[in-house]
Amino acid sequence: MANRSHILMDFKDMDTVTPDEIHNRLKAHRYTLRNSSLAPEENAPLTQAEKDMYDQHKLPGNPHPLMLRLPAGIPFILGILLFLVLMPIFLFQPKVNIVTEKAPWLLTGIAVAIKIAWGTLETDVRMIEPFYILSLRHASPKVLTLDYTAMAFGWMPIRALMNGHFLVALVGLGSVLAEVLTICCTSFANVSGIDFTKNPPPARQRRGKNAINAGEETFRSFWISFGLAVSILFFLCFVATSVYSRRRHAFLPRQPSTIASILAFIHQSKMLYDFVGTEGMDNDSMVTRLVGIGKSYGLGWFTGRDGEMHCGVDEEEL
C-alpha cells in the first residue's frame, strides 16, 4: 500500500535505526490512506502538541520481543514446571491442601497467569514468523502476504499446520490448551484430591454428613481433569523449550511491530516494482500475481534502487 507513495522517501537511512528514532524523524509528518495507499497529508499541518503527543510512549529498543528472550523464557518455563510440581502437592497432601481450601482461587489464578504469559509468547511468535522465514533466504512469495497476527484464535494453528510451520502451529495449539488448563484448574477449586486417591466410594458415602469433599466433581471427572492438566503442562513446557531453542536469537535490527518499522525495511527494495497496481487486490489475488512472477525473497543486506546497501526485505539474490 506504499509501493508508489512518496512517503517512502521519508524513511531514508532508517534501515537499522531504533523505533524511537523512527518516531522522532516522522512525528512532524501527517499521513493518510488514499486510494488504498498511504500518502502524505499536506493540507492539515500538525500542531506542536500533536507532534509531541506520543513522545512519552517509549517503544522497545531491543530488536527481539521480550517474551522470546531467555531472561523471560527461563522464568516462564521454570514457573510452569513449578506449578506442575505444586499442583499435586496442593491437591493430595493433607497439610498443604488447607491452602486451596482457604484460597480456592489459587490454582485457577496460577493457570490464568500461565495462559496470559503464553498468549504473549504466541503474539510474539505470530509477529516475527514471516520475517524469520525471510531471514532463511529464498522464501516463497506467499510469505510476503503471510500474517498470522490477524488470524483467529483456534484457526491459526490449523492454518500454520497447513503451511508447514509446525512450531507456530504448536504454539497456537498451546493457547487453546491453556484455556483448557484454566477450566481444569477451576474444577479443583472446592475439591480435596485426597478423597479421590482410593477406589470410587460407595453411593452411601457420596451424600449425607459423611460425604467426601468432591464439590461437583465425580471420581472419573476429577482424574480426567487432573490428567489433562498435567499433560497440558508437560506439553507447554515442551513447546516453550522448542520456541526458545529456535527463536531466541535476534535477527532483525528492530521489532516489526509498527507500520513505520516495516516500511523502513522495504523503502529501497527493488521488489516494490512487483507490487505496482496491487493496491486494490485481495490477499489471494496478490499471491497469485507474485507466484506468477516467479521470484523468491529474503531478509538481509541488499543493493537498493538508489545503488546503496540497505538492510531489509528484497527479492533474491540479495
Side-chain angles (χ1 to χ4, degrees), residues 217-243:
E217 294 295 310
T218 65
F219 185 87
R220 177 179 296 178
S221 67
F222 171 81
W223 284 110
I224 290 176
S225 297
F226 181 76
L228 276 174
V230 171
S231 300
I232 290 171
L233 289 171
F234 273 118
F235 177 82
L236 295 182
C237 281
F238 167 75
V239 176
T241 302
S242 300
V243 169

Side-chain angles (χ1 to χ4, degrees), residues 12 21 75 100 116 118 171 205 257 262 264 272 287 296 302 317:
K12 180 178 173 60
E21 181 64 23
T100 54
I116 293 174
W118 191 271
V171 173
Q205 293 184 16
S257 55
I262 296 174
L272 292 179
V287 169
S296 60
F302 62 92
E317 294 289 332

Side-chain angles (χ1 to χ4, degrees), residues 8-9 16 24 34 38 56 71 78 110 117 124 135 147 158-159 168 171 196 201 210 254-255 260 262 269 279 294:
L8 291 179
M9 299 304 298
T16 59
N24 290 332
R34 185 183 304 133
L38 288 174
Q56 69 275 18
L78 291 178
I110 297 175
D124 291 340
S135 72
D147 183 15
I158 298 175
R159 186 63 184 177
V168 181
V171 173
F196 295 96
N210 295 322
R254 65 183 164 275
Q255 297 182 30
I262 296 174
S269 299
E279 295 87 351

